[in-house]
Amino acid sequence: MCEPAKPPTISAVVTVYNKAPFLADTIRSLRRQAEDEGDVEYVFVDDASSDASVDVIKQCLDGAPHVRIIANADNRGPSVRLNQGAAAAAGDFLYFLDGDDIATKGAMLGMLRLLRREDAELIYGKTIKRVPGAALLDVTADPDAGYRISTAPLETVLGGGFVRMTLMCRRDLFLEAGGADETIFIQDESLPLRLAAKAKRLIDWQATVIAMPVVEGAVGKVSENRNQLRHDAFLANLHAIEETCASHPDLSAKLYARTVSAYWKFAKRQPGIGWLKPGFWRYLETKCLKPPLRSDVLAWMETELSYAAGVRRMPTTRVAGSDAFTLSSATTREAP
């Protein structure tokens, strides 16, 4: 009688949209991670690519155990697809990657060992950007790199530096947090905030765990759309206020300041009268005076952002974690 295959320890969840030229290296970087490849599950979620991404995944993972390829017929963006992959995953730990990123040597096992050693639910590493193609697979996660442990994860994340998918987390933490906010197109800001709000222990590891390739002519790349990034950063912080106000009231001022700052980073680049725009004064106020949270200001900023050009907006139905804070409705574009 054959022994049943043991369940994987880690699920590597990879979101893909038109990444055919990069996927072979990404998959190679993943398959070299585990001491026993049966310990890792590969979950690839394709977001209706128009290139050969799905075919490349199938070819590169032919014969590998624990492979799931989810090929979608409609394009819904990275937040939705990341959650879809996590929902399909069987591992106790989730490791996330974009379809053109490289997992550095030793990254996955290094993160897993630290999570277990320190009994933490969430770990973040560092990224190195725009690495030439030939050097991508040579970058190593230094096993001796220092790390710090935070018992106040949300406060730590609000301190900055946690906006990319350089993370591993326990699957039960991801489920408790609700994953990425699907009303926001890009998950880079919403996922750290949601995970940190529920985690009890976070590890900030100084090792480089993701290497990003040089991408020539990346005009259509989501990460190059500054309006989208700032729009989504504003909403992620705004929703974090709504979802965590009751459980983390001491952090509401910092969240308010981050939300206003995200709006100003968007507004200052728009055509108009520059530094005399109303948003600047609200931004300056949060930097100098630490004012109380104002729902009318946030509602006005959200309305202004709804007019942003070149931004993909998602359906707005959302289950908030708390009803302790509710935006007042902005019915005019006049600044409060």
Side-chain angles (χ1 to χ4, degrees):
M1 185 176 192
C2 294
E3 290 291 329
K6 66 176 181 178
T9 302
I10 303 170
S11 292
V13 178
V14 186
T15 52
V16 177
Y17 178 66
N18 288 347
K19 297 295 174 68
F22 309 99
L23 278 163
D25 280 348
T26 296
I27 292 169
R28 191 175 296 117
S29 78
L30 286 173
R31 294 192 69 174
R32 70 183 178 182
Q33 294 290 322
E35 294 169 346
D36 175 0
E37 193 169 39
D39 287 340
V40 180
E41 173 188 43
Y42 306 98
V43 182
F44 282 78
V45 188
D46 182 76
D47 198 17
S49 291
S50 59
D51 67 3
S53 289
V54 173
D55 291 335
V56 173
I57 296 167
K58 289 177 179 177
Q59 291 166 10
C60 292
L61 286 170
D62 184 33
H66 301 309
V67 176
R68 297 203 63 175
I69 302 171
I70 304 172
N72 291 286
D74 58 332
N75 179 270
R76 296 185 62 190
S79 291
V80 171
R81 297 310 177 205
L82 182 142
N83 285 352
Q84 184 181 17
D92 292 331
F93 297 86
L94 301 178
Y95 176 82
F96 299 105
L97 209 63
D98 194 27
D100 59 358
D101 289 341
I102 297 297
T104 61
K105 293 178 182 178
M108 193 183 294
L109 283 183
M111 296 173 95
L112 178 63
R113 286 167 181 158
L114 283 176
L115 282 173
R116 286 173 162 169
R117 179 193 303 168
E118 302 297 345
D119 192 25
E121 307 105 309
L122 176 62
I123 183 170
Y124 265 87
K126 307 304 176 187
T127 184
I128 182 170
K129 298 181 179 180
R130 298 178 175 84
V131 180
L136 271 174
L137 292 165
D138 294 332
V139 184
T140 298
D142 180 3
D144 298 321
Y147 63 92
R148 60 171 173 150
I149 300 171
S150 170
T151 56
L154 182 56
E155 184 175 1
T156 298
V157 166
L158 290 177
F162 300 89
V163 295
R164 290 199 61 81
M165 286 202 298
T166 55
L167 71 96
M168 181 183 287
C169 69
R170 293 186 181 272
R171 185 170 180 271
D172 54 4
L173 172 68
F174 187 93
L175 296 175
E176 182 185 1
D181 186 340
E182 293 190 5
T183 67
I184 302 173
F185 186 64
I186 301 173
Q187 80 293 331
D188 283 357
E189 293 262 2
S190 76
L191 187 59
L193 289 169
R194 283 185 152 196
L195 293 175
K198 297 296 184 181
K200 294 179 176 62
R201 288 169 70 84
L202 175 149
I203 300 172
D204 180 14
W205 192 26
Q206 298 305 303
T208 299
V209 299
I210 295 290
M212 299 171 59
V214 174
V215 180
E216 298 293 340
V219 176
K221 197 171 168 64
V222 171
S223 61
E224 301 300 316
N225 185 340
R226 298 301 176 187
N227 271 5
Q228 184 77 60
L229 292 173
R230 286 160 182 149
H231 170 275
D232 290 2
F234 172 85
L235 287 182
N237 285 282
L238 178 68
H239 294 175
I241 292 174
E242 298 170 342
E243 294 175 356
T244 65
C245 179
S247 57
H248 297 86
D250 54 318
L251 298 178
S252 60
K254 186 171 287 188
L255 273 166
Y256 178 59
R258 277 173 55 107
T259 309
V260 172
S261 176
Y263 169 78
W264 174 241
K265 287 176 181 178
F266 157 80
K268 71 181 181 180
R269 297 176 63 90
Q270 306 308 306
I273 54 176
W275 295 96
L276 297 180
K277 293 176 181 177
F280 172 67
W281 304 112
R282 294 301 177 195
Y283 169 74
L284 191 63
E285 183 182 46
T286 63
K287 289 294 184 182
C288 300
L289 302 177
K290 296 184 178 178
L293 188 152
R294 287 186 55 179
S295 63
D296 59 332
V297 169
L298 295 176
W300 168 74
M301 289 178 172
E302 185 175 24
T303 299
E304 285 292 295
L305 279 168
S306 71
Y307 291 91
V311 170
R312 180 158 175 188
R313 298 175 179 85
M314 305 296 286
T316 56
T317 301
R318 185 167 58 93
V319 178
S322 169
D323 60 358
F325 175 81
T326 305
L327 279 184
S328 58
S329 298
T331 57
T332 174
R333 294 189 68 181
E334 183 178 347

